[in-house]
Amino acid sequence: MAEPVSLLQRLSYAVGHFLNDLCASMWFTYLLLYYHSVLGFRNSSAGVLLLVGQVADGVCTPLIGYESDRTAGCCGYGKRKTWHLIGTISVVISFPFIFNQCIGCSENTPEWAGLIYFIPFIIIFQFGWAATQISHLSLIPELVKSESAKVELTAYRYAFTVIANITVYIVAWLLFHFQSNEDPSITDNLGPIDIPIFRNLCLIVWAIGVFFSLLFHLGTRETKAGGVEDEGEIGERSPLLPRSTLNSPSAPLQWRHWLKEPSFYQVAVLYMCTRLIVNLSQTYISMYLTNTLLLPKKYIAIIPLVMYVSGFISSLIMKPFNKLIGKNLVYFVGLVLILIFSYWALLDTHMGDGVYGAAVLLGAGSATILVMSLSMTADLIADQTQSGAFVYGAMSFTDKVANGLGVIIIQGLHPCHTPLCCPACVWYYHYVMVIVTGGVAVLAALTLCTILIWPIRISRRLSVMPGLMPDREDSVSSSDLSLGN
């Protein structure tokens, strides 16, 4: 497929992850808060539910990536869009049960029974989420070829991610606002009375996401084999580079070849650090606001909204900065913003109105490093689109497992074992936010340094035609491999 020249084509692709983004926003921002503070689960039990989801996602992601690369689409629909449809259906049938009461449960129902009830829905949801995510990401290097076009399409995609999060938080704020207007006696503390709020929020964003998924499937075209065209023949067997460039043919990289590439691990660690910062800060910001800063519950919608508005603005100005200073330096700027937020949170334990400025820093920094890490992953894949889904799947695997382990460690060390917070929670969530943002940002900066010293490159063995030089290792940079550059 040629470069998508129309705005409609870009938008139709970008909304294909909207349902996932809406669900992910609720998952990371409200899951622990909902199960612990609203349904009354212990901190450790709420952490187990999130860990199960992350592990299920982490296991499913590389397997789906592998299958997405090797299987053809159903009835000529396109292999990426086929997996996208399977994932969407799985999310649609499972997600409404996650943010709702256990059917048939009562106050006397033991907690372990509730866990058994919710776990199957969480596993189905995470399988569907992974299938949708991997298939959608894998379309980027197939739909566009030049580096600037990949960055632009990734920015469009992330812009709608931000819009999805903004939608969730606006709807949440409206629901809390209407609740307080209807009954002024309702306290600012979360509890079982807020179950209808989260149920209605879930159903509203679910309906919006289904609508945009339909727009994606109607408006996005996928070539049958996705990739390079050669005299009408499209497929994985088409040569990736002209023979005049390499003087010999080379086989496309398959999944096992990626495991021998040093750059594969560099990008994987950087992507894992990025997701740890973005997802864990999103997960614990609500507890930080209510337990450490002691703000009313409406702020669990207002402050995340401020974060994602700033993220949206930063995504709009990212492309010219990327052209001016490059991906690595743009990523570093995002890390600096996050480190400033971490230092601010460490020193100021009673932010007051300053929490809005801190939210702007965290939102803009998170948006910047997320878009740049995805762009670096697309650079790593370059024109090796036949195994692109495996690469995205492997990156996502590291992120899901790391996030799940991070959450279960934080929940396991939590000083409280009841839904009611104790004074120790104030300092606990304070240091959680500082370590999650500042500590992981330092690790990401160290990983970025390795990329600056050893740039992202693909080293692969070339098969040689008779009469030519013996086999040798050639290093080809990802920018050289990208078609159109």
Side-chain angles (χ1 to χ4, degrees):
M1 178 177 176
E3 302 278 353
V5 294
S6 72
L7 178 63
L8 183 61
Q9 287 175 301
R10 290 180 174 90
L11 293 177
S12 66
Y13 168 79
V15 301
H17 207 253
F18 204 67
L19 174 62
N20 262 21
D21 291 329
L22 291 168
C23 295
S25 179
M26 286 199 65
W27 173 267
F28 285 110
T29 308
Y30 296 132
L31 185 85
L32 294 181
L33 195 72
Y34 175 70
Y35 281 95
H36 177 62
S37 299
V38 179
L39 293 187
F41 282 47
R42 289 176 299 170
N43 277 293
S44 57
S45 298
V48 166
L49 289 176
L50 195 143
L51 175 64
V52 167
Q54 295 301 102
V55 171
D57 193 355
V59 171
C60 290
T61 297
L63 296 178
I64 291 171
Y66 174 72
E67 287 298 323
S68 176
D69 284 332
R70 68 186 292 270
T71 58
C74 180
C75 303
Y77 192 57
K79 61 182 181 180
R80 308 303 188 193
K81 288 183 67 178
T82 296
W83 277 99
H84 189 286
L85 182 61
I86 293 171
T88 299
I89 293 173
S90 300
V91 171
V92 166
I93 63 176
S94 61
F95 188 70
F97 291 94
I98 297 175
F99 283 92
N100 210 333
Q101 282 181 296
C102 169
I103 298 176
C105 296
S106 65
E107 295 180 358
N108 299 322
T109 302
E111 190 173 284
W112 61 264
L115 290 175
I116 293 175
Y117 172 85
F118 286 112
I119 284 175
F121 293 114
I122 288 175
I123 292 175
I124 295 172
F125 163 68
Q126 292 292 359
F127 164 80
W129 202 96
T132 305
Q133 180 203 35
I134 294 305
S135 57
H136 194 255
L137 281 173
S138 300
L139 277 171
I140 293 178
E142 296 193 7
L143 296 177
V144 294
K145 301 296 181 261
S146 69
E147 180 180 349
S148 62
K150 291 175 184 177
V151 173
E152 183 177 16
L153 206 56
T154 303
Y156 269 91
R157 182 183 185 274
Y158 185 74
F160 275 94
T161 298
V162 174
I163 293 172
N165 282 273
I166 290 173
T167 301
V168 170
Y169 301 133
I170 287 179
V171 174
W173 177 80
L174 290 174
L175 291 175
F176 281 122
H177 179 72
F178 292 147
Q179 181 195 54
S180 62
N181 285 346
E182 291 176 1
D183 189 354
S185 65
I186 295 178
T187 66
D188 283 330
N189 298 321
L190 289 165
I193 195 172
D194 297 304
I195 290 176
I197 295 290
F198 287 95
R199 181 190 63 228
N200 294 337
L201 175 62
C202 174
L203 293 177
I204 290 171
V205 301
W206 175 86
I208 295 172
V210 170
F211 171 74
F212 280 102
S213 294
L214 180 62
L215 293 183
F216 165 79
H217 282 276
L218 292 176
T220 302
R221 279 188 57 203
E222 177 189 358
T223 54
K224 289 184 179 180
V228 188
E229 298 185 20
D230 184 14
E231 298 179 352
E233 181 180 349
I234 307 174
E236 297 178 4
R237 299 178 181 177
S238 303
L240 297 176
L241 290 174
R243 294 190 180 185
S244 59
T245 303
L246 297 178
N247 295 324
S248 62
S250 60
L253 293 179
Q254 301 303 322
W255 69 270
R256 60 186 178 276
H257 300 137
W258 287 109
L259 301 179
K260 301 177 182 179
E261 296 292 336
S263 291
F264 175 80
Y265 297 99
Q266 287 178 293
V267 176
V269 173
L270 193 70
Y271 184 79
M272 179 191 71
C273 293
T274 300
R275 282 294 187 177
L276 278 173
I277 294 171
V278 174
N279 293 342
L280 291 184
S281 64
Q282 186 178 1
T283 298
Y284 286 100
I285 189 69
S286 297
M287 279 79 86
Y288 175 67
L289 295 170
T290 56
N291 296 324
T292 299
L293 301 182
L294 303 178
L295 295 172
K297 61 186 179 183
K298 66 180 181 181
Y299 278 85
I300 67 174
I302 295 174
I303 296 304
L305 176 61
V306 173
M307 290 171 53
Y308 276 93
V309 168
S310 64
F312 177 75
I313 295 173
S314 68
S315 69
L316 295 178
I317 63 176
M318 208 173 296
K319 184 181 178 182
F321 274 96
N322 175 70
K323 289 184 176 180
L324 183 65
I325 62 177
K327 292 185 181 70
N328 293 335
L329 286 181
V330 172
Y331 187 95
F332 179 74
V333 170
L335 287 181
V336 169
L337 295 177
I338 291 170
L339 287 170
I340 294 174
F341 164 84
S342 178
Y343 188 67
W344 190 346
L346 177 64
L347 297 182
D348 193 351
T349 56
H350 303 286
M351 287 188 179
D353 291 338
V355 69
Y356 292 100
V360 169
L361 290 174
L362 183 57
S366 297
T368 301
I369 63 174
L370 183 56
V371 171
M372 288 300 103
S373 65
L374 287 172
S375 296
M376 291 178 189
T377 306
D379 281 350
L380 175 68
I381 296 172
D383 59 350
Q384 301 284 349
T385 59
Q386 73 288 332
S387 56
F390 170 79
V391 175
Y392 283 118
M395 301 296 157
S396 189
F397 175 79
T398 62
D399 127 55
K400 304 305 179 188
V401 173
N403 274 283
L405 292 177
V407 166
I408 203 65
I409 291 172
I410 293 172
Q411 294 299 105
L413 296 175
H414 198 284
C416 297
H417 301 286
T418 63
L420 297 177
C421 190
C422 68
C425 290
V426 175
W427 291 106
Y428 186 74
Y429 288 118
H430 169 78
Y431 288 116
V432 165
M433 284 302 297
V434 171
I435 294 172
V436 161
T437 54
V440 182
V442 171
L443 178 59
L446 294 176
T447 307
L448 182 64
C449 289
T450 69
I451 294 178
L452 292 173
I453 298 173
W454 299 287
I456 299 173
R457 303 172 70 87
I458 296 178
S459 303
R460 55 181 182 163
R461 183 171 295 278
L462 302 177
S463 58
V464 181
M465 297 291 289
L468 296 180
M469 295 177 61
D471 289 356
R472 60 186 177 89
E473 293 286 342
D474 279 359
S475 282
V476 185
S477 69
S478 60
S479 60
D480 291 336
L481 284 174
S482 295
L483 299 180
N485 288 331

